[in-house]
Amino acid sequence: MYNPTVARLTYRALLGRRRALILFLLPAFLLAIAAAVRVFNGADDQVAADVLGGFALATMVPLIGVIAGTGAIGPEIDDGSIVYLLSKPVKRPSIIFTKLIVAVAVTMVFSAVPTFIAGMILNGNGQQVAVAYTVAALVASIAYSALFLLLGTVSRHAVVIGLVYALVWEALFGSLISGAKTLSVQQWALAVAQKVSGEGLVTSDVGLATAVSLLIGVTVLATWYAGQKLRTLKLAGEE
């Protein structure tokens, strides 16, 4: 299912000059915030959890997921270069799976790694805060990548839709409206983090079993449907 050639081309597209700049800026901003908070506030477990939850998981991870997930395939469909790839003897579900692996890897590197470093800066992993939010970033990276890869496959406005979901639904409605929290990748990831962290530092409105089921279900269904959509994409319609 994994195609090294497709992976190499996808990495090259995602880590091009413009996207790489954005990918580096968000983690750099998180680390700058963490350093400033530590200098002025000292080591505080609750403050560390607030910073990692409020910026790293709620903002940085979904934004990087949008960039990596949609960027893994959207530009190729938009400019028609996907025709070259689809004309090769490579199964279309294999293309989607490979691009998902690349998107997940990029999202994890640029979100989970700086989240852990920021947590260590903030409080030295007191109460397992750094580890908890790193695990949350890892599992969220998988679901976000699958969702936004699907968006990149079915819509030419994937980036806009992804940003609306990440910044409006997740950050606004997902934190204010009870019903919306159940449909929030952020809340699912927080449920996993809650299991790892110290008592009361991380909370989620979704139970752990439900969260894990939804994370797996959304990832599998989004990947499968993206493969089906790419399978039905006609070469004649990609001019």
Side-chain angles (χ1 to χ4, degrees):
M1 289 293 289
Y2 181 82
N3 188 290
T5 302
V6 174
R8 186 175 64 254
L9 293 173
T10 307
Y11 275 119
R12 187 180 302 171
L14 282 179
L15 300 178
R17 201 171 289 176
R18 184 187 302 176
R19 284 193 181 88
L21 177 62
I22 300 174
L23 289 171
F24 277 107
L25 279 176
L26 288 168
F29 190 43
L30 171 64
L31 296 179
I33 291 174
V37 170
R38 180 60 186 267
V39 168
F40 292 108
N41 195 73
D44 185 293
D45 295 341
Q46 187 59 61
V47 171
D50 291 341
V51 171
L52 295 180
F55 181 77
L57 189 62
T59 303
M60 185 184 72
V61 179
L63 286 180
I64 291 177
V66 170
I67 296 169
T70 61
I73 196 169
E76 291 177 279
I77 294 177
D78 290 343
D79 63 20
S81 60
I82 192 72
V83 174
Y84 171 79
L85 187 57
L86 296 181
S87 66
K88 301 298 179 182
V90 181
K91 293 182 178 179
R92 298 188 182 190
S94 177
I95 294 173
I96 290 295
F97 181 77
T98 301
K99 288 182 175 293
L100 174 63
I101 295 299
V102 173
V104 168
V106 170
T107 306
M108 284 182 172
V109 168
F110 284 94
S111 62
V113 173
T115 296
F116 178 75
I117 296 173
M120 295 301 292
I121 293 172
L122 285 163
N123 75 333
N125 195 37
Q127 298 291 310
Q128 296 291 307
V129 170
V131 171
Y133 277 100
T134 299
V135 171
L138 288 171
V139 297
S141 295
I142 300 172
Y144 281 131
S145 295
L147 279 173
F148 297 136
L149 180 65
L150 172 61
L151 277 178
T153 306
V154 302
S155 174
R156 292 183 179 272
H157 306 291
V159 174
V160 175
I161 298 172
L163 289 174
V164 169
Y165 176 82
L167 298 178
V168 178
W169 182 267
E170 290 272 279
L172 184 60
F173 291 107
S175 61
L176 298 177
I177 302 174
S178 299
K181 293 179 180 180
T182 307
L183 301 177
S184 168
V185 174
Q186 178 188 339
Q187 290 295 322
W188 305 342
L190 282 173
V192 179
Q194 184 178 4
K195 185 69 176 178
V196 179
S197 70
E199 186 68 29
L201 287 173
V202 183
T203 59
S204 173
D205 292 287
V206 181
L208 180 61
T210 301
V212 172
S213 299
L214 288 170
L215 284 166
I216 294 173
V218 164
T219 301
V220 171
L221 286 174
T223 304
W224 172 81
Y225 191 60
Q228 295 303 305
K229 293 299 292 184
L230 194 63
R231 189 195 297 273
T232 58
L233 193 64
K234 306 294 184 182
L235 291 179
E238 296 162 351
E239 298 175 355

